[in-house]
Amino acid sequence: MSAATKDVLARVRQMVPPMLEKFHKGQLGRVAVIGGSEDYTGAPYFSAMASARLGCDMSHVICTPTAASVIKTYSPNLMVHPLMRSSPPTSSFPASIASALSTAENDPAQIASPIIALLDRLHVLVIGPGLGRDPLMQETCARVIRAAREKGMPMVLDADALLLVTKDPSLVRGYGLAVLTPNVVEFGRLTKALGIDEEAKAAAEGPGGETAKVEALAKALGGVMILQKGPKDHLSDGNTTFTVDLKGGKKRSGGQGDTLTGCIATFLAWRKAYLDGIWETGGKLKEEELVGLAVFAGSAVTRECSSLAFAKRGRSLQASDLTDEVHTAFTNIFGNDDDGEAGSSRL
């Protein structure tokens, strides 16, 4: 890794909690992934399991009932809540039943209510993996995003949750605890929706070079942290910009971005633990730099996962192979202090 990357990761290491006997369940992270629908059950699982494998204490998935019954079979380690609803096919029901469904199962306010009630038990939200574009699912998530923002909760938005920002940038504009992780297509949609696509292209050709686009988008959203995925990951809140240059694997299978969201979420949860002072941190990190450090670290671990998995699997690599490498990737970068003693690392 470059000297600049090594320096940033050394700072990240300061916000990684040690393994101490005095900690109790939940202090090292309570993360929930909102997503998962009839067609997409893998994405929320990969995100939640990455969060758990990295070291968060409690990992939840909030999804539709049809997705919940499937995701529960993947792992008993996740807490799965079948609270989301997709739009019911009311045309196939008699009028009296369709009317009841429209109020009980088709009201985003009623659906969002028990999800919002869970927020006080959580530290970080991931919204988008496996969400789909169903209008009811989308509107429910918009309500949850507004509620989480009111509570000052960090959130990571990916995949179809980014459509919500494309349609209504005010959902996250100016909120420094929001992280967006668009791929190249999603990034283009966002810049176009915000009317800065030409500006971003021009900036990329100027002195700012390859980071100019992500900086322009972050500024347009008022300081939201944007992670632009690519051969190198660039992240910026419009003021501070980083480039993650760890080598990743060469296979672009679906689901790798879900590992990224889960890893970022756990580091954001550790941000809270650091700020709460649940161990002797030394207090050398400033609060305003912690979101950027968390996103940088999540990207670094994911890229290391991809590299390790690709070395073993080559072109057969699948997203589940990254899940198996999360802990090894972490220890390769940060070392292993599971016994209270720091192990070898690349820092």
Side-chain angles (χ1 to χ4, degrees):
M1 67 179 74
S2 67
T5 293
K6 185 175 289 189
D7 180 65
V8 176
L9 290 173
R11 296 185 66 75
V12 171
R13 189 66 180 87
Q14 298 176 52
M15 64 183 283
V16 175
M19 300 303 296
L20 302 179
E21 290 183 355
K22 70 176 185 177
F23 292 156
H24 58 76
K25 181 175 67 177
Q27 282 187 298
L28 300 190
R30 301 194 293 269
V31 173
V33 179
I34 302 180
S37 52
E38 184 174 8
D39 292 333
Y40 306 109
T41 59
Y45 165 79
F46 292 133
S47 179
M49 279 304 296
S51 184
R53 290 293 187 188
L54 186 55
C56 111
D57 282 350
M58 304 173 75
S59 193
H60 301 253
V61 175
I62 301 171
C63 58
T64 63
T66 52
S69 60
V70 176
I71 295 170
K72 287 180 178 181
T73 69
Y74 294 159
S75 172
N77 297 305
L78 304 178
M79 288 161 281
V80 184
H81 310 270
L83 299 175
M84 292 290 287
R85 295 292 185 274
S86 56
S87 301
T90 54
S91 60
S92 63
F93 295 106
S96 59
I97 297 177
S99 177
L101 282 173
S102 67
T103 56
E105 296 284 286
N106 207 23
D107 180 358
Q110 290 190 42
I111 298 166
S113 180
I115 300 172
I116 293 170
L118 283 175
L119 297 183
D120 289 335
R121 295 164 48 189
L122 303 170
H123 296 152
V124 181
L125 287 180
V126 177
I127 304 175
L131 180 65
R133 302 184 181 185
D134 178 84
L136 181 57
M137 298 272 281
Q138 292 266 316
E139 176 56 28
T140 301
C141 282
R143 290 172 180 270
V144 174
I145 289 170
R146 294 187 190 101
R149 180 171 180 171
E150 288 179 2
K151 293 177 179 293
M153 177 177 291
M155 62 184 92
V156 183
L157 274 63
D158 186 45
D160 288 322
L162 296 174
L163 286 177
L164 290 166
V165 181
T166 300
K167 296 175 183 177
D168 183 8
S170 68
L171 277 173
V172 298
R173 180 178 275 128
Y175 187 52
L177 296 180
V179 178
L180 276 57
T181 59
N183 60 27
V184 62
V185 175
E186 294 159 346
F187 191 93
R189 289 191 193 121
L190 286 166
T191 57
K192 186 175 182 179
L194 289 159
I196 62 164
D197 49 335
E198 294 302 322
E199 174 188 337
K201 289 178 184 177
E205 297 171 357
E210 59 185 2
T211 65
K213 285 185 177 182
V214 70
E215 290 165 354
L217 180 56
K219 289 176 181 177
L221 285 171
V224 169
M225 182 62 68
I226 309 293
L227 174 63
Q228 182 185 16
K229 295 179 283 193
K232 296 179 181 178
D233 289 348
H234 303 299
L235 57 133
S236 179
D237 62 2
N239 293 314
T240 303
T241 302
F242 298 105
T243 295
V244 186
D245 57 9
L246 270 74
K247 183 179 179 181
K250 296 180 180 179
K251 178 66 183 296
R252 300 291 179 261
S253 63
Q256 295 184 59
D258 302 310
T259 297
L260 172 66
T261 61
C263 288
I264 292 173
T266 290
F267 279 106
L268 286 172
W270 290 346
R271 165 191 173 272
K272 182 182 186 305
Y274 180 91
L275 292 173
D276 288 347
I278 67 171
W279 79 95
E280 294 294 331
T281 64
K284 295 180 180 179
L285 302 177
K286 298 177 181 178
E287 181 174 353
E288 55 267 26
E289 69 178 315
L290 296 181
V291 171
L293 292 178
V295 177
F296 189 102
S299 170
V301 170
T302 303
R303 295 177 75 88
E304 179 73 358
C305 284
S306 176
S307 179
L308 292 169
F310 183 73
K312 293 179 179 178
R313 302 292 185 182
R315 66 180 65 246
S316 73
L317 180 148
Q318 298 297 309
S320 57
D321 298 317
L322 270 70
T323 304
D324 296 337
E325 302 295 343
V326 171
H327 180 65
T328 301
F330 172 83
T331 57
N332 282 358
I333 295 172
F334 296 107
N336 186 356
D337 67 348
D338 291 353
D339 297 320
E341 298 292 335
S344 61
S345 73
R346 292 163 64 184
L347 300 182

